[in-house]
Amino acid sequence: MDFENNSWIWEGVYHYPHLFGGIMLTAAVLGLSTSFFGGISVPSSLAYFWPDLGIFHKRKHGKKRIRVYMDGCFDLMHYGHANALRQAKALGDELVVGVVSDEEIIANKGPPVLSMEERLVLVSGLKWVDEVIANAPYAITEQFMDTLFNEHKIDYIIHGDDPCLLPDGTDAYALAKKAGRYKQIKRTEGVSSTDIGPGPNARVVYIDGAFDLFHAGHVEILKNARQLGDFLLVGIHTDQTVSEHRGAHYPIMHLHERSLSVLACRYVDEVIIGAPWDVTKDMITTFNISLVVHGTVAESNSFLNGARDPYEVPKSMGIFHMLESPKDITTTSVAQRIIANHEAYMKRNVKKAESEKKYYAEKKYVSGE
């Protein structure tokens, strides 16, 4: 049996001095060299006399990885979702995310804007997510909780400190709390950047845009862009810039909301918050950009119709590439889905507001420890 080093000997001497004295004496009687104890392995004949002693067992490497579970509808993925999942991942080593089924959302909240497929793409695209469970139930039932603990090896179920109430007004996470397997996160705002930078010889790919109402089309184009290099840098335009080019009603989400949504995507290495509209030579030099890309499907490709071209410089340098967009989703098409279901959403929100008001009036502290 191999050992990592000789430290096990000195630990044994410290904790079992009389035992080790006996071992040394036995070794002398058997004619074994005491230098054996500074060696590599234990002869089977000697191990036979002490088969159950922990000091002769190979030390285990590391500790058990903690698996945590968080669920949600994740309809119209936004910075709040991203920040919640980022916090949930910090409470364990592996984050498993349940995406609630369309049927459950309709029954408990109203019709979702995005399909299950689109919501799965968005959640799977987040860098903090290790596994995804499709068609998860809205409420943590006894049966589903057993599935989580036994089949998915979940240690803790995570949710925010905002209420999640069933139509009858009960807590959707009551069973998890009762089982002592519940942890809670705070709904906090904020945008943080990664501390990982590209290596000196890395091929840096740059893509920019508004990334408003972050959707499955964004995830797919970012994935394809990342495959073209070693490091994906994403420029996110300011609210003012977006308004100037798309109209006064845009962006729907402000800069920090859009930034955290993009930063959460697993294919993104770094973001430039408030990137300029034009990709300049100074930008390319400063960030050591090797390739600038832009999707074929976008809210506005006005530069293709004779307007001022923001990619004139990278084109002149031969480092610009039009990237075929895998999906034809845009912010406007998602917004149109919202408008189409406006009445259902209004009814849902009135009911939700009443439930939340009651929840906060009766709220009790729940420890996240």
Side-chain angles (χ1 to χ4, degrees), residues 6 8-9 20 23-24 27 32-39 46 56:
N6 298 335
W8 65 274
I9 297 172
F20 261 73
I23 292 174
M24 296 295 282
L32 298 174
S33 169
T34 53
S35 64
F36 151 79
F37 293 98
L46 187 58
F56 288 115

Side-chain angles (χ1 to χ4, degrees), residues 244-259:
E244 289 175 355
H245 291 87
R246 296 189 182 177
H249 297 295
Y250 291 95
I252 296 172
M253 304 179 78
H254 63 63
L255 178 60
H256 282 183
E257 293 174 322
R258 294 183 284 117
S259 296

Side-chain angles (χ1 to χ4, degrees), residues 66-71 74 81-97 128-130 156-160 183-186:
I66 301 299
R67 286 169 61 82
V68 297
Y69 172 83
M70 189 174 198
D71 59 17
F74 304 105
H81 293 136
N83 203 30
L85 293 172
R86 178 174 66 88
Q87 292 183 76
K89 180 60 178 281
L91 294 178
D93 301 302
E94 298 171 2
L95 174 60
V96 180
V97 178
W128 300 295
V129 177
D130 297 293
Y156 296 101
I157 294 172
I158 314 295
H159 188 66
K183 285 183 179 288
Q184 189 166 282
I185 59 173
K186 297 290 292 181

